[in-house]
Amino acid sequence: MSFRLVFLFIPIAVLPICLSRLEEDASLNSTTDNNATDNCNLNNKCFHAPPELCPRADSPCRCHQLPNCSKAVVCCNVTSFQLVEGLACANVSDGNVTAVHVRNATLDTLNLSQPTWRRLKYMTITDGHIKSVTGEFTRLTSISYLNLSSNGISKFDDRSLGNLFDLRYLDVSHNNLTEVPRFKMEGAVTLDISYNPYILCSSVLDALKRAELFFSNGKQTYCSSSKTFHWFNTTEHLPLIQIIGLHELSKDCQKMNSNCLCVPSRVDLIPGKAPIFAIDVNCSNRKLKQMPTPLPPNTVSLNIANNNITSLAAVNNDISYVHLRELYADNNQITSVLPLEGSKFISNFVVLSLRNNKIDSLPTYMFSNAFDRNFFLRTVYLEKNHIHCDCNTAKNLKVWLLTKAKQIPDYKEIFCENINSPVMDLNPSTLCQSTSDWTDYVYYIITFQVLLLVGLIAKVFYDYWVFKTAGYLPWPASKMPKMPCDWLCE
Ligand SMILES: *[C@@H]1O[C@H](CO)[C@@H](O)[C@H](O)[C@H]1NC(C)=O
Ligand SMILES: *[C@@H]1O[C@H](CO)[C@@H](O)[C@H](O)[C@H]1NC(C)=O
Ligand SMILES: *[C@@H]1O[C@H](CO)[C@@H](O)[C@H](O)[C@H]1NC(C)=O
Ligand SMILES: *[C@@H]1O[C@H](CO)[C@@H](O)[C@H](O)[C@H]1NC(C)=O
Ligand SMILES: *[C@@H]1O[C@H](CO)[C@@H](O)[C@H](O)[C@H]1NC(C)=O
Ligand SMILES: *[C@@H]1O[C@H](CO)[C@@H](O)[C@H](O)[C@H]1NC(C)=O
Ligand SMILES: *[C@@H]1O[C@H](CO)[C@@H](O)[C@H](O)[C@H]1NC(C)=O
Ligand SMILES: *[C@@H]1O[C@H](CO)[C@@H](O)[C@H](O)[C@H]1NC(C)=O
Ligand SMILES: *[C@@H]1O[C@H](CO)[C@@H](O)[C@H](O)[C@H]1NC(C)=O
Ligand SMILES: *[C@@H]1O[C@H](CO)[C@@H](O)[C@H](O)[C@H]1NC(C)=O
Ligand SMILES: *[C@@H]1O[C@H](CO)[C@@H](O)[C@H](O)[C@H]1NC(C)=O
Ligand SMILES: *[C@@H]1O[C@H](CO)[C@@H](O)[C@H](O)[C@H]1NC(C)=O
């Protein structure tokens, strides 16, 4: 709320200043028109004087007003001291000069706080060597067109350009910047950041988020992506147009999933095809009861930690989950990993994080399949889940977990739901006691039955032998009633 208020107030506060300045411009233009010799051609572009207009080398003052425009001053080949001196002898701070071009300045520091700059509308310092930029333009500085190109500048402070409410054009090309300088977001600013070989794409993206920007020399603008890459193709430099594409994409993404935060994470460059941007979606802490659907196209990472989600079914059922490689679902109420079975995710995932959920069984075959089919390490986090433990858990799951220690690094923190113990501390000899007694008993019965059978067969043969040799049947066969099959024997 307060944020919005600030932005409402700024235009109101600035309005009178802008208006007064407009009047000033109008009066200047009219005098220009009236005076044929004061032929200033300064309108709405950066002031840029060619080297021929430099003061003569033997001139005592290193700066001078242009012959055909007393409002414009040019300085050449200056050191810090010569610059201060030159600006003074060219009457720059008296308020009549609105444009300055300093060529080939060799400065240890360029001090933006100096009052000299305050009345300028066009400020240009180019083709020099500036080791550092300090201070900030003071409030009510009226600079609209600022060209600081080709000075080897590597850094601006966050607040350096913060007071330039009228800024329309900022040229910081051909420097050594790693970040896009910050400036007020009033109005639309045209920005030239071409030929800054180390400028970071993440910083360009941030600048796009902060302000409405137009780019000059966009085709020559590249940014360095070294900090934004992961496991897609790596390219050192990305063209600006792709970063703008990314920005548009993440704007769309936020519209689609208004609750979640979408961050473009990497880009897949296939020559001859439109670049594919991979998206990280962050839906953590959103009080979700179900997984978010649909995800933006090419979502590779989804964070749904700290919600009340109970089922992972969407991973398998929703088509927008096909590109997912990383799923962070810690601190939810998920009861089972079985819905993942057969999904594209389980065959391709890199990270599956299910810490502190309600998972009560681990289908080892499913994970084994996934782990065996891998080119790179897959990781599953399962700590603070309480699974149902029995003899089988103690004997088999424990061993399985040990063999998967690399893929399930927190395996020691998986607990039993029915026994107060981590799975790894289960003792098979105590847990499997009763069951082994029972199986032993079964063996005794089987042995007994086999012996009985052998005895019976032996008795039949004995009876037969006695009958053949002695001619009578021993007990109990002699007492048994005749059976129909006895006819056969007789
Ligand atoms: C017109 O230019 C002449 C010199 O070229 C100068 O003396 C005069 O003050 C200028 N007039 C105005 C109104 O600026
Ligand atoms: C001075 O005059 C020349 C030609 O007469 C013109 O090319 C140049 O742009 C003028 N300088 C300014 C600052 O208007
Ligand atoms: C800024 O200065 C550089 C270096 O002199 C020049 O090449 C460039 O055209 C200027 N930018 C604008 C917008 O005039
Ligand atoms: C600035 O230096 C260049 C190169 O040495 C020279 O050509 C030019 O005349 C110098 N200009 C001034 C005003 O000293
Ligand atoms: C820049 O100025 C220095 C003196 O301050 C001079 O030696 C040098 O030649 C100038 N360079 C250019 C390109 O004008
Ligand atoms: C600067 O102003 C003084 C008077 O305040 C004047 O004598 C001098 O000629 C001016 N210098 C230039 C370069 O206009
Ligand atoms: C500034 O310009 C005004 C008129 O345009 C003139 O009266 C005044 O003397 C000038 N100041 C300087 C220091 O040249
Ligand atoms: C920059 O200029 C301001 C005002 O002239 C001064 O107060 C400040 O100390 C200067 N800063 C540096 C680093 O020279
Ligand atoms: C430009 O910046 C890079 C990295 O920030 C640094 O390695 C390099 O030395 C800098 N070059 C110049 C000329 O300052
Ligand atoms: C990116 O990877 C694809 C295959 O996935 C390959 O065809 C393409 O050449 C790679 N692009 C670059 C710029 O390395
Ligand atoms: C996700 O968003 C939460 C705030 O909702 C934030 O605390 C967290 O750092 C974000 N995580 C990532 C990986 O961006
Ligand atoms: C989950 O739901 C329960 C009750 O339904 C609630 O108390 C708890 O705060 C919720 N947790 C989260 C992270 O939203």
Side-chain angles (χ1 to χ4, degrees):
M1 195 57 181
S2 60
F3 184 73
R4 289 205 178 153
L5 278 180
V6 168
F7 284 105
L8 278 176
F9 276 120
I10 287 171
I12 295 170
V14 168
L15 208 57
I17 303 163
C18 293
L19 286 177
S20 68
R21 214 166 277 140
L22 279 176
E23 281 161 20
E24 201 176 80
D25 279 358
S27 69
L28 280 171
N29 281 343
S30 65
T31 57
T32 308
D33 291 341
N34 292 343
N35 199 332
T37 52
D38 213 10
N39 175 19
C40 293
N41 189 14
L42 292 170
N43 284 331
N44 300 338
K45 58 182 198 302
C46 286
F47 172 52
H48 201 264
E52 304 83 76
L53 291 178
C54 280
R56 285 171 36 181
D58 58 359
S59 151
C61 187
R62 293 294 187 123
C63 303
H64 74 164
Q65 292 173 354
L66 286 187
N68 57 354
C69 176
S70 60
K71 288 185 295 184
V73 164
V74 177
C75 312
C76 296
N77 301 0
V78 289
T79 60
S80 295
F81 177 71
Q82 288 167 327
L83 179 61
V84 173
E85 205 182 45
L87 292 172
C89 61
N91 292 344
V92 167
S93 15
D94 72 9
N96 288 357
V97 171
T98 58
V100 166
H101 187 177
V102 181
R103 287 186 157 272
N104 185 21
T106 309
L107 309 178
D108 281 337
T109 57
L110 170 63
N111 188 347
L112 300 178
S113 308
Q114 269 161 17
T116 328
W117 315 121
R118 208 179 127 182
R119 310 293 283 270
L120 299 180
K121 186 174 178 198
Y122 307 88
M123 175 173 171
T124 304
I125 301 181
T126 63
D127 308 283
H129 306 274
I130 298 176
K131 282 199 188 131
S132 71
V133 179
T134 63
E136 55 192 87
F137 284 113
T138 50
R139 273 176 58 78
L140 309 187
T141 299
S142 47
I143 292 171
S144 298
Y145 299 88
L146 180 58
N147 187 352
L148 296 172
S149 174
S150 308
N151 287 305
I153 297 171
S154 58
K155 195 176 181 321
F156 287 92
D157 288 342
D158 273 359
R159 287 146 49 97
S160 292
L161 311 179
N163 287 325
L164 298 184
F165 289 94
D166 283 355
L167 192 64
R168 292 287 168 273
Y169 199 107
L170 175 62
D171 187 342
V172 287
S173 60
H174 293 273
N175 279 301
N176 203 16
L177 295 173
T178 52
E179 285 178 10
V180 179
R182 288 175 163 265
F183 41 82
K184 269 278 172 288
M185 51 202 286
E186 292 303 310
V189 175
T190 303
L191 181 66
D192 190 342
I193 49 168
S194 57
Y195 301 102
N196 280 283
Y198 302 100
I199 205 156
L200 292 172
C201 293
S202 51
S203 154
V204 177
L205 208 57
D206 286 347
L208 282 166
K209 281 185 206 153
R210 286 197 299 265
E212 189 184 349
L213 291 177
F214 298 98
F215 287 91
S216 176
N217 286 325
K219 282 196 178 140
Q220 286 80 42
T221 305
Y222 291 81
C223 60
S224 167
S225 59
S226 48
K227 283 198 184 162
T228 49
F229 271 74
H230 205 37
W231 41 266
F232 279 122
N233 305 15
T234 57
T235 320
E236 266 303 295
H237 289 97
L238 285 184
L240 175 69
I241 182 126
Q242 296 190 350
I243 305 302
I244 294 173
L246 262 187
H247 176 62
E248 299 298 323
L249 202 90
S250 65
K251 270 203 314 208
D252 291 351
C253 167
Q254 265 149 348
K255 268 185 234 151
M256 273 175 64
N257 267 297
S258 53
N259 273 331
C260 303
L261 208 70
C262 301
V263 188
S265 65
R266 16 182 195 270
V267 58
D268 196 7
L269 294 174
I270 301 165
K273 288 196 186 166
I276 297 168
F277 297 105
I279 308 286
D280 291 353
V281 176
N282 183 351
C283 300
S284 59
N285 299 307
R286 295 299 198 282
K287 296 196 163 66
L288 298 179
K289 293 209 160 62
Q290 283 168 347
M291 299 190 77
T293 54
L295 297 177
N298 287 302
T299 298
V300 293
S301 172
L302 174 63
N303 184 345
I304 46 169
N306 309 321
N307 285 295
N308 259 336
I309 292 166
T310 52
S311 166
L312 293 172
V315 175
N316 214 345
N317 300 339
D318 197 284
I319 186 80
S320 66
Y321 278 76
V322 290
H323 296 289
L324 200 65
R325 300 287 180 275
E326 299 175 8
L327 177 60
Y328 301 89
D330 302 342
N331 308 322
N332 278 289
Q333 318 283 331
I334 296 162
T335 51
S336 172
V337 290
L338 277 173
L340 298 177
E341 195 177 356
S343 66
K344 196 126 189 185
F345 175 78
I346 204 72
S347 20
N348 291 332
F349 78 95
V350 179
V351 180
L352 172 60
S353 189
L354 295 167
R355 298 182 180 101
N356 194 18
N357 273 287
K358 298 224 160 15
I359 292 161
D360 58 5
S361 73
L362 292 181
T364 53
Y365 64 93
M366 186 177 93
F367 286 117
S368 289
N369 280 347
F371 293 153
D372 293 347
R373 225 185 305 148
N374 73 345
F375 314 107
F376 36 81
L377 185 64
R378 295 169 180 220
T379 319
V380 179
Y381 297 97
L382 289 168
E383 77 178 70
K384 293 195 192 145
N385 279 288
H386 293 81
I387 63 170
H388 186 81
C389 292
D390 54 19
C391 174
N392 184 34
T393 321
K395 274 184 169 169
N396 302 328
L397 185 65
K398 229 178 104 167
V399 177
W400 184 81
L401 282 174
L402 269 178
T403 63
K404 304 294 177 212
K406 234 171 142 186
Q407 288 96 339
I408 309 179
D410 56 3
Y411 68 100
K412 286 182 185 157
E413 305 298 322
I414 303 173
F415 293 91
C416 290
E417 152 214 59
N418 48 336
I419 303 165
N420 185 15
S421 157
V423 170
M424 290 314 289
D425 292 354
L426 287 179
N427 186 353
S429 63
T430 56
L431 206 63
C432 300
Q433 194 70 58
S434 55
T435 354
S436 76
D437 272 3
W438 163 244
T439 45
D440 287 352
Y441 185 56
V442 167
Y443 287 134
Y444 290 136
I445 292 176
I446 291 170
T447 315
F448 174 72
Q449 285 177 338
V450 167
L451 287 177
L452 201 70
L453 190 68
V454 169
L456 270 172
I457 292 168
K459 174 79 166 87
V460 167
F461 276 102
Y462 171 75
D463 286 3
Y464 180 71
W465 180 72
V466 169
F467 183 74
K468 275 278 166 186
T469 50
Y472 71 98
L473 273 174
W475 187 90
S478 57
K479 302 288 178 217
M480 299 235 307
K482 281 207 167 190
M483 301 270 215
C485 68
D486 286 353
W487 290 97
L488 292 172
C489 302
E490 286 162 20

